[in-house]
């Protein structure tokens, strides 16, 4: 999804067609041969998929279903405590199964009536152009390890990001866009009823990070700073950008996605460079 992420758990296919997911040495399953074979098999199914076909149907094991049930149970209480109101309401509307791991097509069937979104299978992290381009069509690339779907309001912001990506021809400008996306739709927070609550999918899908995000450094929304800030995809985010309301997110981030082009982003990047120098 992001430049740094493309170096994290890359997927390769050798001359004999064998698919391998290259896990980092400190990945929780790096030393588990069964886990590695499982990841390779699921990635291979995604690579074999062709547009227009049903998504690969994964026969999840009892152990995998139990992990899903555990995560859903743990996150449910934390979403009630930490997630923004819009997310909680949309999650209830989607009514995603919590007793067994759903397939991508099953999730798509739940999302389609609400906002027209669907999931596409991915073997691993998707190149920037492909990932953001598909958002413009309300399509979201995902591995078969599925997290909670985007809520309808933020789905529109995803679509605007996808349309913006299609307007960009400069790789550095696309990376700027991806960082704004990261610090908003993935790791954004807002103040709601006097409390900091999360709307970013990266926080909402992590039952570890969702307990820690309030203790991180919080800064006001700043498109220039967000678009040029570095981050580590493998660690909790130490700096988050907080809005005073969801309306501010839509107004600031949504406006940026809706209006940006190569020229405007180049100007924003030059502003940051001038300040840094």
């Amino acid at each position: 999804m992001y430049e740094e992420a493309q170096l994290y758990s890359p997927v390769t296919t050798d001359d004999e067609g064998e698919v391998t997911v290259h896990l980092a040495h400190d990945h929780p399953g790096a030393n588990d041969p069964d886990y590695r074979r499982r990841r390779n098999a699921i990635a291979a199914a995604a690579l074999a998929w062709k547009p227009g076909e049903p998504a690969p149907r994964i026969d999840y094991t009892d152990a995998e279903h139990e992990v899903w049930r555990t995560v859903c149970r743990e996150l449910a209480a934390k979403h009630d405590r930490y997630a923004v109101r819009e997310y909680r309401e949309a999650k209830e509307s989607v009514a995603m199964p919590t007793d067994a791991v759903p397939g991508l097509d099953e999730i798509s069937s739940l999302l389609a009536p609400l906002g027209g979104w669907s999931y596409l299978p991915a073997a691993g992290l998707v190149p920037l152009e492909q990932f953001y381009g598909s958002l413009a069509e309300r399509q979201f690339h995902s591995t078969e390890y599925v997290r909670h779907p985007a809520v309808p309001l933020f789905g529109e912001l995803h679509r605007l990001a996808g349309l913006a990506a299609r307007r960009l021809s400069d790789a550095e400008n696309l990376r700027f866009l991806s960082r704004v996306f990261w610090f908003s739709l993935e790791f954004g927070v807002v103040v709601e009823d006097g409390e900091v609550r999360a709307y970013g999918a990266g926080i909402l899908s992590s039952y570890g990070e969702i307990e820690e995000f309030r203790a991180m450094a919080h800064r006001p929304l700043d498109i220039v700073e967000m678009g040029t800030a570095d981050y580590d995809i493998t660690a909790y985010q130490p700096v988050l950008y907080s809005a005073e309301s969801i309306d501010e997110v839509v107004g600031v981030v949504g406006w940026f996605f809706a209006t940006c082009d190569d020229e405007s982003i180049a100007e924003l990047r030059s502003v940051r460079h001038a300040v840094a120098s």
Side-chain angles (χ1 to χ4, degrees), residues 4-264:
E4 293 88 342
Q6 290 168 1
L7 304 177
Y8 188 65
S9 298
V11 179
T12 61
T13 305
D14 65 19
D15 293 339
E16 297 180 355
E18 183 174 348
V19 175
T20 301
V21 179
H22 299 271
L23 301 178
H25 69 88
D26 56 351
H27 188 284
N31 297 315
D32 183 339
D34 291 336
Y35 175 80
R36 297 190 76 119
R37 282 192 290 270
R38 181 66 167 159
R39 286 289 302 268
N40 293 344
I42 292 177
L47 288 176
W49 173 83
K50 294 180 176 57
E53 296 179 347
R57 183 173 181 83
I58 307 300
D59 292 324
Y60 292 101
T61 66
D62 290 341
E64 287 169 330
H65 286 306
E66 182 57 29
V67 169
W68 178 262
R69 287 190 288 269
T70 299
V71 170
C72 288
R73 182 176 62 250
E74 292 292 324
L75 282 176
K78 295 180 179 183
H79 288 166
D80 287 341
R81 181 179 178 188
Y82 296 118
V84 295
R85 182 181 302 106
E86 289 84 354
Y87 178 86
R88 301 194 304 271
E89 292 173 350
K91 180 182 173 183
E92 183 177 354
S93 298
V94 174
M96 190 163 63
T98 59
D99 58 341
V101 185
L104 294 186
D105 285 346
E106 182 179 358
I107 298 175
S108 293
S109 69
L110 296 173
L111 288 174
L114 299 177
W117 284 82
S118 62
Y119 275 87
L120 301 178
L125 292 152
V126 179
L128 290 176
E129 295 84 354
Q130 183 181 0
F131 177 79
Y132 284 103
S134 68
L135 294 180
E137 305 298 328
R138 293 187 172 88
Q139 296 174 329
F140 193 98
H141 287 274
S142 175
T143 64
E144 297 293 272
Y145 296 93
V146 183
R147 67 185 177 190
H148 291 290
V151 302
L153 172 63
F154 301 124
E156 177 60 15
L157 293 183
H158 279 72
R159 189 182 72 86
L160 290 175
L163 292 173
R166 289 185 172 180
R167 295 194 297 272
L168 304 179
S169 59
D170 184 277
E172 287 300 318
N173 292 338
L174 185 57
R175 278 189 279 273
F176 185 103
L177 174 77
S178 76
R179 291 186 178 103
V180 174
F181 186 100
W182 175 265
F183 284 112
S184 56
L185 297 183
E186 288 292 329
F187 287 92
V189 297
V190 301
V191 177
E192 181 181 281
D193 298 329
E195 290 186 315
V196 179
R197 289 182 172 266
Y199 69 88
I203 299 174
L204 294 171
S205 62
S206 170
Y207 61 81
E209 194 152 7
I210 199 171
E211 290 279 9
E212 303 292 336
F213 78 93
R214 286 180 173 172
M216 304 307 182
H218 293 174
R219 299 177 183 172
L221 286 186
D222 184 320
I223 295 296
V224 173
E225 187 173 329
M226 294 160 70
T228 54
D230 293 325
Y231 61 86
D232 182 354
I233 193 173
T234 67
Y236 290 174
Q237 303 306 303
V239 176
L240 302 175
Y241 293 88
S242 176
E244 291 301 314
S245 66
I246 291 297
D247 286 342
E248 184 183 3
V249 175
V250 173
V252 174
V253 178
W255 180 86
F256 168 73
F257 289 154
T259 63
C260 69
D261 55 22
D262 278 312
E263 182 178 355
S264 66

